[in-house]
């Protein structure tokens, strides 16, 4: 074997990861993971969904789930021909990632759901959120609040996590400074799951997610055992509704915010999953 060929085989593979946050959060929550991925030579694109994080849209300007997910859909559409990405979803971001995979399956090397909502082919995306709410019960989110809706065209009320909920359910194993950061940066968000016909065409359509689109992509679910926001039992219930989804359980000692509580382990796992997509 020529020396140049040997050197090429020793070079680590480079991947492009797109990181999608959960409700009330933003691209900022991926700061540890994005930094580590870039230091390792990968490309990491952490996205703000519309109205979240540093995105310029106001909450009342984002009318539908399609508009909310538009930054991700636009980023996927802009990928050069032949390029594939590893989509990484956290929490509520799983629905946006599912929509992106359905629209652009040929551009997805893998879709990774990290303690995320993972809808199933042939079922409405909103059904997963409905089932989680029923599973945890009405008092689960402690001091979180529903706020008044400024825009009457948007059905439902915006939601924001309360400090106690964040400390006890989301960040209980994360460094205290990350909880402080989260309390400073979270924003109210709409769930886009009820009442608006334009939303329901996406979130309530049982035919939206197809075997040819979303179902054709490699999907990996990362179970987070100590997650208190989406309990592990419910995580496994979602997996059971999607035969063929790979399950990874290597991350231990993580809370719901696995990217903050166990960033090194999560990065290692994401790179391992990405490497396997090219084998």
């Amino acid at each position: 074997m020529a020396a140049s060929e040997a050197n090429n085989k020793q070079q680590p593979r480079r991947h492009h990861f797109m990181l999608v946050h959960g409700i009330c959060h933003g691209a900022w929550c991926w700061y540890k993971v994005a930094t580590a991925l870039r230091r390792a030579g990968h490309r990491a694109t952490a996205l703000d969904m519309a109205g979240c994080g540093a995105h310029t849209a106001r909450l009342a300007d984002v009318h539908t789930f399609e508009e909310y997910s538009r930054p991700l859909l636009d980023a996927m559409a802009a990928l050069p021909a032949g390029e594939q990405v590893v989509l990484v979803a956290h929490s509520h971001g799983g629905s946006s990632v599912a929509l992106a995979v359905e629209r652009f399956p040929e551009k997805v090397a893998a879709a990774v759901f990290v303690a995320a909502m993972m809808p199933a082919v042939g079922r409405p995306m909103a059904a997963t959120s409905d089932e989680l709410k029923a599973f945890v019960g009405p008092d689960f989110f402690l001091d979180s609040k529903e706020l008044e809706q400024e825009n009457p065209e948007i059905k439902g009320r915006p939601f924001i996590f309360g400090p106690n909920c964040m400390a006890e359910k989301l960040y209980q194993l994360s460094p205290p400074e990350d909880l402080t950061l989260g309390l400073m940066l979270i924003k109210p968000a709409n769930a886009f799951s009820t009442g608006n016909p334009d939303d329901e065409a996406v979130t309530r359509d049982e035919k939206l997610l197809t075997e040819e689109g979303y179902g054709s992509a490699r999907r990996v679910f990362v179970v987070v055992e100590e997650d208190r926001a989406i309990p592990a039992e419910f995580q496994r219930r979602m997996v059971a509704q999607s035969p063929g989804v790979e399950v990874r359980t290597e991350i231990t000692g993580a809370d719901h915010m696995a990217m903050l509580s166990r960033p090194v382990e999560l990065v290692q796992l994401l790179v391992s999953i990405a490497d396997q997509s090219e084998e």
Side-chain angles (χ1 to χ4, degrees):
M1 181 183 294
S4 59
E5 292 178 359
N7 289 335
N8 287 336
K9 290 202 170 187
Q10 293 171 3
Q11 290 296 320
R13 297 167 181 170
R14 307 303 185 195
H15 307 287
H16 184 184
F17 297 87
M18 281 193 182
L19 311 171
V20 182
H21 62 81
I23 197 166
C24 300
H25 287 69
W28 56 265
C29 70
W30 293 104
Y31 79 97
K32 293 179 180 178
V33 167
T35 300
L37 287 170
R38 290 166 186 160
R39 281 178 177 167
H42 303 286
R43 184 178 175 191
T45 302
L47 297 164
D48 284 315
M49 296 300 98
C52 299
H55 193 276
T56 56
R58 295 172 57 251
L59 179 67
D61 295 334
V62 184
H63 295 73
T64 67
F65 183 73
E66 177 102 11
E67 291 182 18
Y68 172 85
S69 303
R70 180 54 53 192
L72 172 59
L73 299 176
D74 286 348
M76 294 294 290
L79 288 171
E83 181 175 343
Q84 290 190 319
V85 296
V86 178
L87 289 173
V88 184
H90 178 246
S91 197
H92 183 66
S95 295
S96 295
V97 163
L99 180 60
V101 176
E102 177 62 35
R103 299 278 176 84
F104 305 98
E106 74 285 355
K107 296 186 176 185
V108 179
V112 185
F113 297 81
V114 181
M117 305 305 290
M118 186 177 70
V121 171
R123 302 183 74 235
M125 290 200 296
T128 308
S129 298
D130 293 343
E131 289 167 1
L132 176 62
K133 291 175 185 176
F135 182 85
V136 300
D139 300 324
F140 183 79
F141 291 102
L142 303 177
D143 56 341
S144 302
K145 295 179 180 179
E146 288 188 338
L147 308 177
E148 292 299 322
Q149 182 61 261
E150 293 182 16
N151 187 341
E153 295 180 7
I154 303 173
K155 305 302 179 184
R157 301 175 69 184
F159 169 90
I160 190 165
F161 291 111
N164 292 338
C165 180
M166 288 181 64
E168 296 181 26
K169 303 286 189 179
L170 277 69
Y171 288 73
Q172 84 273 8
L173 299 175
S174 293
E177 58 268 30
D178 287 324
L179 172 59
T180 300
L181 181 69
L183 289 169
M184 290 177 174
L185 295 179
I186 62 164
K187 291 182 176 181
N190 288 301
F192 299 112
S193 60
T194 180
N196 187 329
D198 290 332
D199 264 341
E200 294 187 352
V202 174
T203 62
R204 296 284 176 186
D205 183 1
E206 64 183 22
K207 297 180 180 179
L208 177 76
L209 300 179
T210 65
E211 288 288 357
E212 297 76 19
Y214 175 63
S216 69
R218 181 187 177 204
R219 287 171 289 159
V220 183
F221 194 94
V222 178
V223 175
V224 179
E225 293 286 353
E226 295 172 84
D227 185 355
R228 293 180 181 173
I230 304 179
E233 181 182 347
F234 190 84
Q235 295 176 44
R236 291 190 169 87
R237 181 181 296 187
M238 290 188 290
V239 170
Q241 293 172 346
S242 296
V245 169
E246 301 170 41
V247 179
R248 303 295 292 264
T249 59
E250 292 94 320
I251 294 181
T252 59
D255 54 24
H256 185 62
M257 305 301 294
M259 70 284 282
L260 300 176
S261 55
R262 285 293 183 269
V264 173
E265 294 87 342
L266 180 55
V267 167
Q268 291 172 344
L269 180 55
L270 292 177
V271 172
S272 171
I273 291 169
D275 284 345
Q276 290 171 0
S277 293
E278 294 189 356
E279 290 179 355

